[in-house]
Amino acid sequence: RRLSRVTRNSYFYIKFLIFPSYQSFTLGPVTNKFPLNAFKDIDFHLPSEIIDSYLSHRFNVLGSGFIENILQFDHRVNWSNRKTHNLIREKIDESYNPIDWQIDIKSGYRWSSTEPSQFLKHSEINGVDVKVPWELARMHHLPHLALLYCSSEDESLKTLLTKEFINITYDFSSSNPPYFGVNWACTMDVAIRASNLLIARDIFISAGERFSDEFETIFSNYIYSHGKYIFNNLEYYKGDRANHYLSNIAGLAFISSYLQETDETNLWLCFSLHQLIKETNYQFYSDGGNFECSTSYHRFSGEMVIYATALILSTDKERLVRLKKVDEASLNLGSHLPDIDIEELFEICLLYTSD
């Protein structure tokens, strides 16, 4: 399994040393799931100190305490991605202080953003915790900014929140080309990041905010890159898989549901729908308990199942029925990955779409 994955990724890395790893996806902006004013009555408040910390890029990551994370030098990416990097980078407001996404703010150790993700060492370095940059790059704080936007009546604050979301999206996407740097090393973190980006944008939109066509194009392209990466790097192991693989499925469900419908995104939706049901049965007992025997992982896995299920239930019924047209051969991804029975999936779709 590992050899197969290394071989496949080595092909991508060699390719992306010559060609850009940024994907070109031209079907328009991602869709919206929340209706207008869905959060108008929400009473969401953050202490002013937390708001100030978010906006000034002081983060408390995995118990680090609030530490300022500001990039101290001009950012570099690999040669093939430099043109796209520069095009996105120039859209960032001059007043914005870029974040160093590759650094462990606890130890000060920094990974290279010009090196292929798979070949970066991270677990073997004493005194260094790779989960620190991974946790920040999951973008958990972006839905907070969006919810705060919904509940605030301060127009100046709302403007700051919108600009922060836009600038962070530009900052991260330009600093982290797909398949390069430490934040593309773990599929679970890629999936969580994509989900948070999509949810945050959707909440902003539901509150009446609108983004430029330029932003929407960059955003959808980057989300598409996340979907491509997840589908090609599934953390599936027969008899030895847990919340990582479940997060891959949930992230792929979010991405395929939000992106414009194509044969490829329908393939991803088909796969994630089938595997969501299979993995729920595999990872949860009949009484609702989780096989990992951890209250934290139980909650984490349970949330992923609930959110992904709610998202799929909101998907257009006609689209779910169209999943029967997905090429079954393209769903069978190799001996080390699960096979999908399209007829079985169609029966599941009928259950989802029934009144």
Side-chain angles (χ1 to χ4, degrees), residues 276-325:
L276 176 65
I277 296 169
K278 289 288 188 180
E279 284 304 301
T280 301
N281 290 329
Y282 177 81
Q283 297 193 23
F284 289 85
Y285 299 123
S286 58
D287 65 357
N290 183 268
F291 85 109
E292 292 195 72
C293 301
S294 162
T295 53
S296 297
Y297 282 139
H298 190 176
R299 174 182 174 179
F300 179 46
S301 297
E303 286 179 345
M304 287 191 288
V305 169
I306 290 170
Y307 294 150
T309 301
L311 189 69
I312 291 172
L313 286 173
S314 71
T315 302
D316 179 70
K317 292 183 178 181
E318 287 73 18
R319 184 182 182 189
L320 289 176
V321 172
R322 285 195 293 273
L323 296 184
K324 190 177 183 182
K325 298 180 180 179

Side-chain angles (χ1 to χ4, degrees), residues 103-317:
I103 195 171
D104 169 8
I105 58 175
K106 289 184 177 181
S107 67
Y109 183 88
R110 189 179 189 279
W111 286 267
S112 171
S113 57
T114 64
E115 297 296 322
S117 305
Q118 184 183 351
F119 302 134
L120 288 174
K121 293 183 178 180
H122 45 76
S123 59
E124 305 91 345
I125 308 172
N126 291 332
V128 174
D129 188 357
V130 72
K131 291 185 178 180
V132 174
W134 284 355
E135 184 72 15
L136 182 59
R138 289 180 176 188
M139 303 293 184
H140 286 305
H141 67 292
L142 293 187
H144 290 178
L145 299 182
L147 289 171
L148 186 61
Y149 178 98
C150 294
S151 62
S152 177
E153 296 181 357
D154 184 341
E155 292 300 325
S156 61
L157 175 60
K158 294 172 75 169
T159 298
L160 285 175
L161 295 172
T162 303
K163 287 185 176 181
E164 180 69 8
F165 175 68
I166 294 171
N167 285 321
I168 276 191
T169 301
Y170 286 152
D171 183 16
F172 188 89
S173 60
S174 64
S175 304
N176 294 270
Y179 288 90
F180 287 88
V182 75
N183 292 310
W184 290 89
C186 177
T187 309
M188 177 175 71
D189 295 289
V190 173
I192 293 173
R193 175 169 62 247
S195 302
N196 279 323
L197 282 165
L198 287 165
I199 287 293
R201 174 196 168 277
D202 205 356
I203 295 173
F204 273 111
I205 294 290
S206 74
E209 186 58 70
R210 294 295 178 267
F211 300 104
S212 67
D213 292 343
E214 188 176 55
F215 173 84
E216 293 285 13
T217 298
I218 293 171
F219 187 88
S220 62
N221 280 337
Y222 204 54
I223 292 297
Y224 177 69
S225 295
H226 284 65
K228 292 281 284 188
Y229 183 91
I230 294 168
F231 196 62
N232 286 306
N233 294 275
L234 294 165
E235 296 171 288
Y236 178 87
Y237 306 100
K238 291 182 178 179
D240 185 23
R241 60 188 185 275
N243 60 82
H244 273 246
Y245 183 57
L246 193 57
S247 73
N248 301 170
I249 297 166
L252 203 58
F254 268 81
I255 292 168
S256 57
S257 295
Y258 269 98
L259 285 176
Q260 298 284 334
E261 182 179 354
T262 66
D263 290 343
E264 186 173 29
T265 57
N266 275 348
L267 170 66
W268 296 348
L269 182 60
C270 184
F271 180 84
S272 57
L273 170 57
H274 185 278
Q275 287 300 288
L276 176 65
I277 296 169
K278 289 288 188 180
E279 284 304 301
T280 301
N281 290 329
Y282 177 81
Q283 297 193 23
F284 289 85
Y285 299 123
S286 58
D287 65 357
N290 183 268
F291 85 109
E292 292 195 72
C293 301
S294 162
T295 53
S296 297
Y297 282 139
H298 190 176
R299 174 182 174 179
F300 179 46
S301 297
E303 286 179 345
M304 287 191 288
V305 169
I306 290 170
Y307 294 150
T309 301
L311 189 69
I312 291 172
L313 286 173
S314 71
T315 302
D316 179 70
K317 292 183 178 181

